[in-house]
Amino acid sequence: MAFKTLYTSSFGSVFYRNTVNGHLVSLVIQQDTEDDVSSEEISLTYDSPVTIEWAQTEKHEPVQGATCQVRIICESDRKFLPLYNTIPGSVRLVINGSNIGGHFSGTLDTETYEEPYATAEGYVVTLTFVDFGYLSRVDFDMRGYKNLREIVVAAIQKSNMSVLGISDYTTTRKTENGLEQILSQLSVDCENFYDEDKSPMSYRKVLESILQPLGARIIQRGRTVIVYDFHSLFVNSALHAGAIHWMGEDQILQLDRYVNKITITLSTYSDSRLYGGEMKLPFDFSLYKYNINRAEQEDFPQGQTPC
């Protein structure tokens, strides 16, 4: 199937209304269907037609999902109700700006809808779209060894978002002075994301599982998926925030919550045990000395390394 356009609309941003250098925002609602559909122009409210909000999350939470609310003037009774009878993830929103490119993309949240019965037409209906929220409904389906970037790309594809690209700003590297991004260099066995009964995690849970150990976070901004860590906020100019403009006469300085003790827990399967001994690899480790279980150091034969 393919996404086909159902509704279109446009509006001027705050800057567009008040300044010459503003931009016009275009909005498209699409549906993944094999049926023939016709595009229709819809009217949005003048006051706050679109609101994009990123919920407050803890710093250790990897997924920073966004919610986009579109306020539409419903010209006939229950006009948009059929959208909520579709398969979850099959209706998506794409928002672009004339001067700055993409704004947002996400799929319809089919669990939040309401409209008044007192009015038959001309009332306001709010449609809610989410970017990463749909991944909680999608089962992980990858097998074998995959690098982290492959898993991130697969998750974005499963989310049905229409993104312009993926930017990796993580600061962890394979080597001390190397340029290799850790997402492309670090691989994981996908069997880790299935339980003893071979039931998979959701794609959202997998994203959290691979990004949290790296201290990395994922967010969508301007229809671009960004993977970053807090170190990159300081060293990468592309992530630097603009100047703060104070408004009013009363500001508050507040400290954030901090953590001074961390507990790392390892949970293995009931029929599993930690591997001990030597593992053969196609590399020459004979020049290296290791310490196993605090024993004295010794040379290892060629092609072997301790595990």
Side-chain angles (χ1 to χ4, degrees):
M1 293 189 292
F3 279 93
K4 301 177 182 178
T5 300
L6 296 177
Y7 304 104
T8 62
S9 188
S10 61
F11 61 95
S13 70
V14 174
F15 300 101
Y16 182 82
R17 297 170 186 168
N18 299 331
T19 69
V20 178
N21 296 323
H23 61 278
L24 191 66
V25 179
S26 62
L27 177 150
V28 178
I29 297 177
Q30 303 171 323
Q31 183 178 0
D32 188 12
T33 179
E34 295 179 348
D35 300 332
D36 294 331
V37 297
S38 57
S39 177
E40 178 183 349
E41 184 80 13
I42 57 176
S43 300
L44 307 180
T45 61
Y46 181 82
D47 182 21
S48 300
V50 173
T51 302
I52 303 174
E53 181 179 2
W54 285 265
Q56 183 72 25
T57 57
E58 296 288 347
K59 292 181 175 60
H60 61 270
E61 296 180 25
V63 180
Q64 292 181 273
T67 300
C68 179
Q69 291 187 329
V70 182
R71 303 179 72 232
I72 306 173
I73 299 176
C74 189
E75 299 177 352
S76 60
D77 192 22
R78 287 172 285 184
K79 177 182 179 67
F80 299 101
L81 190 59
L83 293 179
Y84 287 83
N85 296 326
T86 58
I87 300 174
S90 63
V91 176
R92 78 178 176 195
L93 172 70
V94 180
I95 303 179
N96 292 311
S98 59
N99 291 343
I100 64 173
H103 271 298
F104 175 87
S105 181
T107 57
L108 182 67
D109 183 354
T110 56
E111 298 180 354
T112 57
Y113 180 83
E114 64 179 25
E115 62 176 45
Y117 272 117
T119 306
E121 60 183 17
Y123 54 87
V124 176
V125 169
T126 300
L127 303 184
T128 302
F129 297 84
V130 294
D131 48 12
F132 297 106
Y134 173 59
L135 291 177
S136 299
R137 295 172 173 260
V138 184
D139 288 339
F140 184 72
D141 58 358
M142 304 182 76
R143 294 287 184 174
Y145 277 88
K146 303 292 181 182
N147 66 51
L148 302 190
R149 183 177 178 85
E150 289 178 308
I151 297 177
V152 171
V153 170
I156 301 308
Q157 293 173 343
K158 293 291 185 178
S159 72
N160 286 338
M161 289 188 291
S162 175
V163 299
L164 301 176
I166 300 175
S167 297
D168 182 5
Y169 291 108
T170 53
T171 55
T172 306
R173 295 292 184 267
K174 182 180 178 181
T175 57
E176 182 178 357
N177 299 317
L179 298 177
E180 303 93 342
Q181 300 290 78
I182 193 64
L183 295 185
S184 300
Q185 297 297 317
L186 188 61
S187 297
V188 62
D189 186 358
C190 292
E191 297 303 316
N192 288 301
F193 308 123
Y194 296 82
D195 62 16
E196 294 89 340
D197 299 324
K198 304 303 180 182
S199 298
M201 296 181 180
S202 68
Y203 261 95
R204 182 186 176 100
K205 184 65 176 177
V206 171
L207 272 183
E208 295 173 348
S209 299
I210 65 174
L211 295 179
Q212 192 172 56
L214 301 176
R217 314 185 82 188
I218 187 170
I219 190 173
Q220 179 202 181
R221 287 290 178 91
R223 283 185 62 197
T224 298
V225 174
I226 300 173
V227 183
Y228 72 99
D229 54 37
F230 283 102
H231 296 290
S232 61
L233 296 179
F234 295 96
V235 301
N236 197 307
S237 59
L239 299 178
H240 289 175
I244 298 177
H245 299 280
W246 299 104
M247 301 179 63
E249 299 179 353
D250 186 14
Q251 290 83 34
I252 298 175
L253 175 64
Q254 182 178 0
L255 299 180
D256 200 355
R257 188 171 67 92
Y258 67 93
V259 177
N260 60 2
K261 182 179 294 185
I262 299 176
T263 301
I264 300 177
T265 303
L266 173 64
S267 299
T268 60
Y269 294 121
S270 59
D271 58 348
S272 299
R273 65 183 180 85
L274 294 178
Y275 184 82
E278 298 178 353
M279 178 183 296
K280 293 184 178 180
L281 293 175
F283 303 106
D284 184 5
F285 287 89
S286 60
L287 301 178
Y288 295 86
K289 292 184 177 181
Y290 298 86
N291 188 325
I292 298 181
N293 297 328
R294 298 180 181 177
E296 61 178 312
Q297 294 185 346
E298 60 182 32
D299 291 327
F300 287 89
Q302 181 174 346
Q304 297 183 357
T305 183
C307 179

